[in-house]
């Protein structure tokens, strides 16, 4: 199973793979600009950068999913062209994808075998899966359907799939985004073994500082498609990395959410927590505005929301924490009037929602910043102005026809108020940057004075500046008396903003913490409740 | 909805008690079911790979007409069936490349092909004479003497028995070969299949070829084993391809269920044919619409509740995501 060939001493000098001057453009956008990168055997190489810095594109070039416009790839001393994932696999490059490459309807062993070219032999394949699993301490039942597995176990399958092909180079793209802290720790332990014992080269792509500092030997930082800094991990500090990554000095506290380094700012946090505790006491006296009571939604025989109860008071931010895929999306859909409840109720200021009717939640004064703004937040082909009035076209209409003058006036007003940078109200929405698109959605939802604001992953995919703006707006919305429900998988974002935190797992609330008692450790432990469960299922599998 | 379906089935059967004891009824139902099963087995493979292949109808028509022409010209049944297979594959080639290489909407391509091949067969029929013929039934000794169902199961013209290897072949292809594993992966999650290094659209094209071959064979069996009227008529296939799609949906995208669907629909096709023979007076148009009515009910009931390939009918284009 080892990385054969050269000994460790010799390979310490020769890189396993080298990228030279790799450039990739998408229209006017340069995703990668002349990137040089060398991965050494026996090392974990962290590739750090904000969302959109070009990390994922670079890795896709390496795995053959994207063809570079310029530059070359050198593997074991000779230039190679990687046309497609098959070529990459043949060259010994394997990747654990951010959104895993597994097929839910197939079993574990079938998934591991997928994409191979060897003879199709069921029993040999199952045996190999078990051998690989045992070798790396990644226990798994080869006959389970992948769709029935937890996120952590799925990633384990993905890792086995990769390692079984004995790759010289292993790429992990944001591997912890769907994992609990406990599962992440286990992943990094496995990685250490893989690297130290077998001299593989590992690229760990992440936007989380803490993770990069913890798990890598060497760091390359990317910003706007370029490499801006290279260093050895032992010489790096969180603040130096953060500054390089963002391109300016950052206040670690206010940007902690984006960078994943809450534990580095404990002193400031303690002070903030004391202030928060006092504020929380005041909030507790206010009336409950949003009352979700034993909401239950069953989809394909699975309870995606399982007697979920959450209350939000006026002027309060309630953070919903949890590992991705535990019902957060369905909660957002429910409050966007997209889902019909099987039982339970949603009540806003004493008025019960008739779930399932289009617009029923908006009628009650619930504004939603959806998880995926392109999918459900706006229409890319319409103009900024049209998007801004999309849900209240009646307010700018006369005799059933849209009054374009009033629409533009309303748009200009909102664009000023929310500082939306666009060529004008008639600019196509798709021409705006991610941060400005998100502001349009925010402006529309806040524009008609909601009583409840639901923000689902509001900062995903945004740069640090846009994240700061969004955080400020959410805080201001709460201060003005709006009940805010913040759904996020970023623990730091939750800790940063919430007055109260509920933890969701498998469609249920499994724990609740006040701001004063919430630390990332305690939250991590609560999320680890999922971890316990997951350990049990491992026991079953064994 | 299930209850409604049950009532329809029960009333259809019980209202005409002697239908159940009619050998001719079983014989006829079995022939319809087998012809449907060829196309449905092919359709099942294509759908497992993610194509809702409505041109299965055109593939059957192509197979039926080509077989009839070849039979008229050479008078050799195996050769005629082979020509039918080829015709099905030719239609499949067009569907596959238009929908999974040029990324044209599969339904637009399918609908167009269905109308085009239907018209083409009629047009060519004025040039080349097509001959349909029922091959003399092969009666298996002893077995075919079993009362009521013996004739239906063991007294069919030999092309009908080709279904015996075809169905296991379809199952083996999908569940016991690497190709089949890849077929199932591209039907369920083409993005994952792509990053795993599988040529998604190539596999989908191949699955449509398989559907074309099976449906073409089904068309051939139809004109050489079932239809006794001399000459080719446009109504021979008569939307049986579409019914085959309904059978796949009825079967919840399992092969066993698909076959049960073929038997169900075969029964209703036979009912429409047998009732007048048995002396029942029933509006001919109403009787003729029965299988399609049941198909409509079945798709309405089953299309939403069963586990369909998740990427069914979704085109795959490698994106930036």
């Amino acid at each position: 199973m080892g990385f054969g060939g050269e000994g460790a001493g010799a390979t310490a000098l020769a890189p396993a793979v080298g990228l030279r001057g790799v450039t990739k453009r998408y229209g006017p956008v340069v995703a990668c600009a002349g990137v040089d990168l060398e991965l050494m055997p026996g090392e974990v190489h962290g590739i750090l950068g904000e969302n959109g810095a070009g990390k994922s594109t670079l890795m896709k070039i390496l795995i053959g999913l994207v063809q570079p416009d310029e530059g070359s790839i050198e593997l074991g001393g000779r230039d190679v062209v990687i046309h497609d994932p098959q070529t990459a696999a043949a060259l010994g490059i394997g990747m654990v994808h951010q959104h895993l490459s597994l097929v839910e309807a197939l079993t574990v062993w079938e998934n591991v075998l997928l994409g191979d070219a060897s003879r199709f032999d069921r029993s040999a394949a199952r045996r190999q899966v078990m051998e690989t699993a045992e070798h790396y301490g990644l226990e798994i039942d080869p006959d389970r359907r992948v769709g029935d597995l937890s996120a952590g176990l799925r990633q384990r399958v993905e890792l086995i799939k990769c390692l079984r092909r004995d790759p010289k180079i292993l790429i992990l793209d944001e591997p912890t985004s769907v994992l609990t802290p406990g599962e992440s720790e286990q992943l990094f332990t496995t990685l250490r073994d893989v690297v130290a014992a077998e001299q593989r080269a590992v690229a760990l792509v992440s936007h989380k500082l803490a993770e990069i500092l913890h798990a890598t030997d060497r760091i390359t930082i990317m910003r706007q498609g370029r490499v801006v800094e290279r260093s050895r991990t032992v010489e790096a500090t969180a603040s130096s990395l953060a500054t390089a990554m963002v391109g300016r000095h950052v206040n670690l506290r206010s940007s902690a959410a984006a960078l994943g380094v809450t534990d580095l700012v404990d002193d400031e946090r303690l002070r903030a927590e004391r202030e928060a505790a006092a504020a929380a006491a005041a909030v507790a006296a206010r009336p409950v505005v949003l009352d979700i009571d034993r909401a239950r939604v069953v989809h394909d025989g699975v309870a995606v929301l399982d007697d979920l109860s959450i209350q939000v008071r006026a002027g309060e931010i309630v953070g919903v924490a949890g590992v991705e895929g535990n019902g957060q999306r369905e909660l957002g859909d429910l409050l966007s009037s997209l889902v019909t409840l099987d039982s339970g109720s949603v009540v806003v200021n004493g008025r019960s929602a008739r779930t399932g009717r289009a617009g029923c939640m908006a009628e009650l004064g619930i504004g939603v910043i959806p998880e995926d703004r392109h999918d459900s937040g706006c229409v890319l082909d319409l103009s900024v102005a049209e998007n801004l009035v999309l849900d209240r076209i009646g307010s700018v209409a006369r005799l059933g026809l849209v009054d374009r003058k009033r629409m533009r006036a309303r748009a200009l007003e909102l664009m000023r108020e929310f500082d939306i940078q666009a060529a004008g109200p008639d600019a196509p929405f798709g021409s705006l940057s991610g941060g400005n698109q998100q502001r349009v959605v925010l402006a529309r939802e806040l524009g008609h004075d909601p009583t409840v604001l639901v923000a689902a992953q509001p900062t995903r995919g945004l740069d640090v500046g846009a994240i700061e703006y969004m955080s400020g707006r959410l805080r201001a919305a709460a201060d003005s008396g709006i009940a805010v429900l913040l759904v996020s998988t970023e623990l730091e974002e939750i800790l940063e903003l919430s007055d109260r935190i509920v933890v969701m797992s498998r469609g249920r609330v499994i724990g609740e913490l006040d701001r004063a008692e919430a630390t990332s450790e305690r939250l991590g432990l609560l999320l680890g409740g999922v971890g316990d469960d997951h350990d049990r299922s491992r026991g079953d599998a064994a | 909805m299930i209850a409604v379906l049950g009532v329809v089935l029960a009333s259809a059967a019980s209202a005409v008690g002697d239908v159940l004891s009619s050998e001719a009824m079983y014989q006829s139902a079995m022939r319809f079911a087998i012809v449907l099963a060829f196309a449905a087995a092919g359709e099942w493979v294509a759908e497992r790979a993610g194509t809702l292949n409505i041109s299965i109808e055109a593939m059957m028509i192509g197979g039926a007409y080509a077989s009839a022409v070849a039979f008229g010209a050479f008078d050799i049944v195996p050769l005629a069936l082979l020509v039918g297979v080829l015709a099905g594959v030719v239609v499949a080639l067009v569907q596959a490349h238009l929908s999974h290489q040029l990324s044209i909407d599969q339904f637009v391509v399918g609908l167009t092909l269905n109308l085009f091949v239907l018209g083409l067969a009629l047009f060519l029929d004025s040039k080349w004479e097509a001959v349909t013929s029922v091959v003399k039934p092969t009666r298996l000794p002893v077995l075919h003497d079993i009362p009521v169902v013996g004739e239906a199961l063991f007294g069919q013209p030999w092309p009908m028995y080709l279904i015996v290897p075809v169905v296991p072949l379809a199952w083996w292809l999908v569940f016991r070969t690497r190709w089949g594993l890849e077929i199932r992966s591209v039907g369920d999650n083409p993005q994952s299949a792509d990053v795993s290094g599988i040529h998604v659209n190539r596999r989908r094209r191949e699955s449509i070829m398989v559907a074309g071959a099976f449906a073409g064979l089904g068309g051939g069996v139809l004109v050489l084993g079932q239809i006794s009227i001399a000459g080719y008529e446009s109504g021979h296939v008569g939307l049986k391809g579409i019914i085959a799609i309904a059978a796949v949906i009825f079967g919840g995208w399992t092969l066993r269920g698909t076959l049960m669907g073929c038997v169900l629909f075969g029964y209703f096709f036979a009912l429409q044919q047998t009732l007048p023979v048995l002396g029942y007076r029933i509006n001919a148009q109403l009787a003729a619409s029965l299988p399609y009515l049941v198909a409509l009910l079945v798709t309405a009931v089953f299309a939403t509740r069963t586990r369909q390939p998740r990427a069914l009918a979704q085109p795959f284009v490698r994106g930036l995501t």
Side-chain angles (χ1 to χ4, degrees):
Chain A
M1 255 298 154
F3 166 64
E6 312 97 307
T11 52
L13 297 171
V17 66
L19 299 174
R20 312 246 180 276
V22 167
T23 300
K24 177 69 192 175
R25 299 182 196 86
Y26 292 113
V29 182
V30 182
C32 292
V35 174
D36 293 331
L37 180 72
E38 284 184 349
L39 302 181
M40 295 298 200
E43 276 188 4
V44 180
H45 193 125
I47 298 166
L48 182 69
E50 293 186 83
N51 289 309
K55 316 178 295 267
S56 284
T57 306
L58 195 64
M59 294 303 118
K60 281 177 184 162
I61 288 172
L62 203 46
I63 200 78
L65 279 172
V66 169
Q67 300 307 313
D69 297 324
E70 288 162 32
S72 63
I73 302 171
E74 195 175 284
L75 205 118
R78 64 193 172 88
D79 275 358
V80 291
V81 179
I82 305 174
H83 300 287
D84 49 26
Q86 291 92 322
T87 317
L91 291 170
I93 305 173
M95 177 155 172
V96 173
H97 294 265
Q98 185 175 3
H99 302 289
L100 310 177
S101 72
L102 303 177
V103 179
E104 291 83 347
L106 302 182
T107 62
V108 170
W109 72 265
E110 285 176 327
N111 264 295
V112 171
L113 213 61
L114 202 59
D116 260 19
S118 62
R119 210 170 68 83
F120 186 76
D121 181 342
R122 182 195 175 95
S123 60
R126 289 182 70 253
R127 202 173 50 242
Q128 277 187 17
V129 170
M130 285 192 282
E131 277 169 11
T132 311
E134 200 178 331
H135 182 82
Y136 295 103
L138 303 165
E139 267 175 77
I140 196 89
D141 175 357
D143 294 319
R144 296 258 316 257
R145 250 186 100 247
V146 164
D148 299 334
L149 300 178
S150 69
L153 282 177
R154 282 184 203 201
Q155 190 168 53
R156 187 174 290 191
V157 177
E158 180 91 6
L159 204 55
I160 292 170
K161 176 175 169 178
C162 230
L163 288 172
R164 192 187 68 104
R165 293 177 193 179
D166 198 16
K168 295 198 228 0
I169 297 141
L170 182 61
I171 303 165
L172 295 107
D173 189 8
E174 304 277 2
T176 61
S177 63
V178 295
L179 300 186
T180 63
E183 287 169 333
S184 304
E185 192 47 52
Q186 203 172 14
L187 170 71
F188 291 133
T189 310
T190 309
L191 270 190
R192 279 275 151 231
D193 292 349
V194 168
V195 171
E198 299 173 347
Q199 290 295 305
R200 297 179 204 277
V202 173
L204 175 64
V205 178
S206 180
H207 69 283
K208 293 180 184 165
L209 278 183
E211 195 168 291
I212 291 281
L213 278 170
H214 171 70
T216 65
D217 302 306
R218 200 183 282 272
I219 303 172
T220 294
I221 301 172
M222 290 185 71
R223 188 171 75 236
Q224 289 169 351
R226 291 172 195 284
V227 172
V228 290
E229 193 167 307
R230 295 170 217 273
S231 61
R232 298 194 66 83
T233 308
V234 287
E235 296 155 5
T237 66
S239 62
S240 73
L241 291 182
T243 304
M245 177 162 111
V246 181
R248 60 185 166 85
H249 185 72
V250 281
N251 176 349
L252 273 180
R253 196 184 108 69
S254 70
S255 303
L259 304 173
V261 286
T262 31
D263 46 334
L264 301 167
V265 285
D266 277 345
D267 283 353
E268 281 185 73
R269 176 158 295 285
L270 275 174
R271 190 153 38 80
E273 273 163 8
R274 271 197 298 277
E275 288 164 15
V283 165
R286 298 205 193 128
V288 171
V289 174
L290 173 68
D291 187 0
I292 303 171
D293 187 32
R294 279 166 291 156
R296 187 175 174 80
V297 174
V298 180
H299 182 67
D300 276 351
V302 180
V304 287
L305 292 184
D306 190 359
D307 290 340
L308 179 82
S309 297
I310 296 175
Q311 294 186 328
V312 188
R313 294 168 190 282
E316 181 186 37
I317 299 183
V318 172
V320 178
V323 176
E324 196 165 341
N326 276 287
Q328 297 98 322
R329 177 178 278 269
E330 288 77 9
L331 176 62
D333 285 352
L334 172 67
L335 296 172
S336 313
S337 326
L338 293 173
V339 171
T340 311
L341 280 179
D342 288 309
S343 66
S345 64
V346 177
V347 176
V348 178
N349 277 336
R351 288 165 66 206
S352 185
R354 294 163 62 190
T355 62
R357 274 183 64 236
C360 62
M361 296 295 175
E363 273 167 30
L364 294 179
I366 299 183
V368 180
I369 300 168
E371 183 172 327
D372 183 340
R373 60 180 171 268
H374 289 167
D375 191 46
S376 50
C378 59
V379 185
L380 283 175
D381 294 334
L382 296 185
S383 72
V384 172
E386 285 166 327
N387 270 293
L388 278 169
V389 301
L390 202 53
D391 59 337
R392 299 287 156 104
I393 291 177
S395 67
V396 295
R398 199 183 305 218
L399 300 172
L401 297 172
V402 174
D403 183 340
R404 299 200 70 86
K405 221 190 225 164
R406 273 165 74 176
M407 181 176 82
R408 296 185 78 233
R410 172 75 179 140
L412 281 170
E413 192 185 312
L414 285 172
M415 285 171 73
R416 251 195 315 277
E417 187 183 340
F418 288 87
D419 194 21
I420 297 165
Q421 305 293 325
D426 299 323
F429 184 81
S431 68
L432 270 58
S433 71
N436 278 305
Q437 289 183 347
Q438 192 69 317
R439 283 182 199 204
V440 169
V441 177
L442 183 74
R444 186 180 67 214
E445 297 304 326
L446 285 177
H448 33 68
D449 301 320
T451 46
V452 177
L453 180 67
V454 180
Q457 319 287 0
T459 58
R460 181 173 286 176
L462 300 185
D463 60 38
V464 168
I467 290 175
E468 280 171 359
Y469 179 85
M470 182 58 70
S471 303
R473 275 289 177 178
L474 290 178
R475 194 71 255 171
D479 290 344
S480 74
I482 298 173
V484 179
L485 188 66
L486 169 69
V487 183
S488 177
T489 49
E490 301 287 335
L491 283 189
E492 292 75 18
E493 183 171 65
I494 295 270
L495 283 166
E496 172 79 25
L497 285 169
S498 312
D499 297 312
R500 199 150 54 80
I501 299 166
V502 296
V503 180
M504 246 179 114
S505 173
R506 303 194 176 184
R508 282 192 306 264
V509 171
I510 56 165
E512 189 173 329
L513 295 170
D514 277 332
R515 167 83 154 261
E517 52 183 3
T519 60
S520 46
E521 290 73 28
R522 291 197 60 175
L523 259 184
L525 281 176
L526 263 179
L527 291 174
V530 184
D532 289 349
D533 218 319
H534 147 88
D535 279 338
R536 267 204 303 283
S537 65
R538 260 185 74 198
D540 290 345
Chain B
M1 284 296 250
I2 295 253
V4 173
L5 187 66
V7 169
V8 170
L9 281 175
S11 63
S14 60
V16 282
D18 50 348
V19 165
L20 284 178
S21 57
S22 155
E23 263 195 30
M25 173 69 196
Y26 285 104
Q27 174 93 359
S28 172
M30 187 49 97
R31 288 186 184 179
F32 276 115
I34 288 172
V35 168
L36 284 174
F38 282 106
E43 178 68 19
W44 174 73
V45 175
E47 293 204 14
R48 286 305 291 247
T51 310
L52 218 169
N53 179 42
I54 59 171
S55 61
I56 194 88
E57 174 80 10
M59 296 167 190
M60 273 188 101
I61 297 172
Y65 177 70
S67 284
V69 168
F71 185 71
F74 309 113
D75 203 21
I76 304 169
V77 175
L79 182 64
L81 289 174
L82 191 65
V83 171
V85 170
L86 288 177
V89 171
V90 168
V91 177
L93 270 169
V94 178
Q95 167 80 50
H97 284 271
L98 288 182
S99 60
H100 295 310
Q101 191 157 48
L102 302 178
S103 296
I104 302 170
D105 185 289
Q106 56 186 265
F107 297 112
V108 173
V109 173
L111 266 177
T112 312
L113 270 178
N114 284 350
L115 294 173
F116 174 71
V117 176
L118 184 69
L120 185 71
L122 281 178
F123 167 71
L124 292 178
D125 195 36
S126 61
K127 312 233 179 254
W128 298 324
E129 192 189 3
V131 177
T132 67
S133 144
V134 174
V135 177
K136 214 165 129 325
T138 310
R139 294 205 163 77
L140 300 185
V142 188
L143 285 174
H144 103 277
D145 293 328
I146 298 171
V148 191
V149 295
E151 194 74 19
L153 291 176
F154 305 108
Q156 299 286 0
W158 73 260
M160 288 281 175
Y161 293 113
L162 289 176
I163 198 66
V164 177
V166 158
V167 168
L169 176 65
W171 184 86
W172 179 79
L173 276 175
V174 169
F175 288 116
R176 282 291 177 271
T177 65
R178 169 171 303 288
W179 183 81
L181 178 64
E182 299 182 359
I183 285 296
R184 284 179 284 142
S185 74
V186 302
D188 210 67
N189 194 334
Q191 280 73 27
S192 289
D194 183 43
V195 295
S196 301
I198 290 162
H199 296 285
V200 174
N201 283 326
R202 186 185 297 171
R203 289 290 167 274
R204 287 184 166 181
R205 289 197 297 271
E206 289 162 355
S207 75
I208 294 174
M209 303 300 169
V210 171
F214 286 6
L217 182 58
V221 171
L222 175 76
V223 292
L224 296 177
Q226 184 180 27
I227 304 288
S228 46
I229 319 152
Y232 171 83
E233 281 178 24
S234 65
H236 282 165
V237 173
L239 297 185
K240 288 198 183 60
I242 303 299
I243 297 293
I245 298 175
V248 175
I249 294 171
F250 173 84
W253 289 270
T254 65
L255 188 54
R256 190 184 302 169
T258 299
L259 291 180
M260 281 163 57
C262 292
V263 171
L264 173 79
F265 291 121
Y267 173 82
F268 281 96
F269 273 115
L271 209 56
Q272 147 212 340
Q273 244 186 16
T274 319
L275 284 182
V277 178
L278 291 174
Y280 288 92
R281 289 181 50 183
I282 179 166
N283 182 302
Q285 277 74 28
L286 183 67
S289 68
L290 212 63
Y292 308 103
L293 199 65
V294 175
L296 197 63
L297 273 173
V298 159
T299 38
V301 174
F302 292 94
T304 52
R305 25 180 86 197
T306 40
R307 186 179 273 167
Q308 68 176 43
R310 278 187 20 204
L312 185 63
Q314 290 169 12
F316 174 75
V317 181
R318 193 182 274 174
L320 300 180
T321 48

